[in-house]
Amino acid sequence: MTDETPDPSAPSRWATWASGLEDRFHRFRERRARKRGLVPTVIPYSGYGNDGWIRVLCRVLLTRPQTSSKAAKKSIRGWRSFVSIPVADAAVTVRADGQEITVHADRGGVVDAEIPVSLAPGLRTITLETEGSEPVTANIYVVNPDARLGVLSDIDDTVMVTALPRPFLAAWNTFVLDEHARRPVPGMAVLLERITQEHAGCPVVYLSTGAWNVAPTLDRFMGRHLYPRGTLLLTDWGPTHDRLFRSGRDHKRESLERLAREFPAVSWVLIGDDGQHDEELYRAFAEAHPENVAAVAIRQLSTPEAVLAGGRRHIDAPEGAAPWVWAPDGAGLAKKLAEVGILRRYR
């Protein structure tokens, strides 16, 4: 008798079909854009590294000739971020520490590559270039081997106020808003700045389920509201070869696991809000890697924000774990983190 039980890990036929259709659509748009004279441009993102390696992040898009990477980043806002044309499988030359290494973009034009390069700790720059493009620089924060504390923060409703129903949030952020229409969460930039100032060499990572399309907008928002420089870890929309839609929760969980592997000596202050799944994800991570969690700080949404977010999902801290604190804004979280020893108390 044949066992006809489906393999849950097998690729979905619909997902395979949808991803193939998306690839053909992107190739069609790329061919037409190149005929119109558009050329590849590298949009650099900030990466990070450790002793002997760096993580390079960027995206390759087609833009008008003589459009600088900086100008392209400024023009990619709102709905334009969605209709930008990625260059799948683009070869990108990385120049760092006197070396030249070629990496390749994925099917969405995104480069996320770890390369063997030794750079001194601190903020460093590398050069990126693709076929016929002008060289651009990207920041790399090389974590000091002596660093013992890091900051990992969610974005939506944690560093910026979204006040939108969750089902519409991603579409609104991508198609409509630019950084001028977003509001920072009160006191959160000061909180993050205090942590980085009081803990020398503290790496900062901003983790979101947002698409790479909105990275330039988020980057401008962070700079405008004086958030500490850090690495954005975003994801991509659309089908993959094994599922119709990418999982934002899986993206966050896998990113946390990766950071634990890459920086085993670093304990993270995990910052999120109580309107999504941050508490659930942070609790699971704290249980699996207690040595990598210094504290968990959860921003409590206001009642209107919680209604739009679909309610609150309060989860108690695991027994014997690192301290958890809750407050409605950055100032309140700073006070609570001072009480548990993460920050110095103000007199």
Side-chain angles (χ1 to χ4, degrees):
M1 183 176 179
T2 304
D3 183 4
E4 296 183 355
T5 302
D7 179 1
S9 64
S12 160
R13 180 183 301 176
W14 285 106
T16 302
W17 176 83
S19 63
L21 181 64
E22 183 184 52
D23 290 343
R24 290 193 293 275
F25 176 63
H26 282 318
R27 288 195 294 269
F28 168 75
R29 295 180 68 218
E30 182 181 343
R31 287 195 300 270
R32 291 197 60 186
R34 287 180 182 272
K35 287 180 180 179
R36 299 200 313 269
L38 273 65
V39 296
T41 300
V42 178
I43 308 299
Y45 307 136
S46 295
Y48 61 76
N50 205 343
D51 185 25
W53 59 269
I54 59 173
R55 184 177 181 181
V56 178
L57 298 165
C58 66
R59 195 168 189 225
V60 184
L61 303 175
L62 291 178
T63 65
R64 297 181 184 279
Q66 299 177 342
T67 298
S68 68
S69 173
K70 188 174 182 179
K73 287 179 72 173
K74 287 184 177 180
S75 68
I76 300 171
R77 62 179 75 219
W79 59 269
R80 293 180 183 84
S81 67
F82 179 75
V83 298
S84 55
I85 303 173
V87 182
D89 304 317
V92 176
T93 300
V94 181
R95 296 186 179 91
D97 192 35
Q99 301 182 53
E100 279 194 9
I101 299 174
T102 299
V103 296
H104 289 84
D106 64 13
R107 45 196 291 269
V110 175
V111 170
D112 182 353
E114 184 177 307
I115 63 175
V117 172
S118 293
L119 298 177
L123 187 63
R124 303 290 175 244
T125 59
I126 61 173
T127 302
L128 307 172
E129 187 177 357
T130 191
E131 49 165 323
S133 74
E134 65 174 34
V136 298
T137 59
N139 290 328
I140 300 290
Y141 187 85
V142 182
V143 179
N144 194 306
D146 296 329
R148 293 295 177 266
L149 191 86
V151 172
L152 181 138
S153 178
D154 179 43
I155 295 179
D156 287 317
D157 285 328
T158 301
V159 303
M160 67 166 62
V161 178
T162 54
L164 285 166
R166 293 296 176 188
F168 305 118
L169 176 60
W172 180 264
N173 282 346
T174 296
F175 302 135
V176 182
L177 284 182
D178 66 22
E179 72 276 9
H180 296 278
R182 303 167 189 240
R183 291 188 294 115
V185 171
M188 197 62 71
V190 176
L191 167 64
L192 270 61
E193 184 67 23
R194 279 189 62 187
I195 297 175
T196 59
Q197 289 294 320
E198 295 184 18
H199 297 272
C202 174
V204 179
V205 175
Y206 298 100
L207 177 60
S208 173
T209 57
W212 282 110
N213 306 62
V214 299
T217 299
L218 292 176
D219 192 49
R220 290 190 296 267
F221 173 88
M222 298 291 185
R224 177 167 285 106
H225 295 288
L226 305 180
Y227 280 92
R229 289 181 178 179
T231 298
L232 287 171
L233 296 182
L234 306 179
T235 183
D236 207 350
W237 288 359
T240 65
H241 293 297
D242 59 358
R243 60 190 304 163
L244 281 173
F245 298 99
R246 291 172 172 84
S247 168
R249 293 180 66 183
D250 284 351
H251 162 65
K252 285 190 170 183
R253 178 180 52 79
E254 291 164 3
S255 295
L256 286 165
E257 292 288 338
R258 177 169 180 169
L259 288 170
R261 292 193 306 270
E262 292 173 333
F263 304 104
V266 173
S267 293
W268 298 88
V269 178
L270 305 176
I271 304 175
D273 65 80
D274 62 0
Q276 298 188 67
H277 302 284
D278 292 341
E279 289 180 309
E280 180 183 337
L281 287 165
Y282 291 168
R283 179 182 174 117
F285 181 72
E287 290 176 336
H289 304 278
E291 71 283 0
N292 294 120
V293 180
V296 176
I298 301 296
R299 184 208 169 212
Q300 297 167 310
L301 302 185
S302 66
T303 299
E305 290 170 340
V307 170
L308 291 171
R312 295 189 178 95
R313 297 172 176 84
H314 180 78
I315 295 178
D316 292 330
E319 197 171 323
W324 285 53
V325 299
W326 291 263
D329 54 30
L333 290 174
K335 181 179 178 181
K336 297 289 184 66
L337 288 173
E339 292 172 357
V340 299
I342 298 297
L343 292 173
R344 291 194 298 268
R345 291 176 181 265
Y346 282 154
R347 295 185 177 181

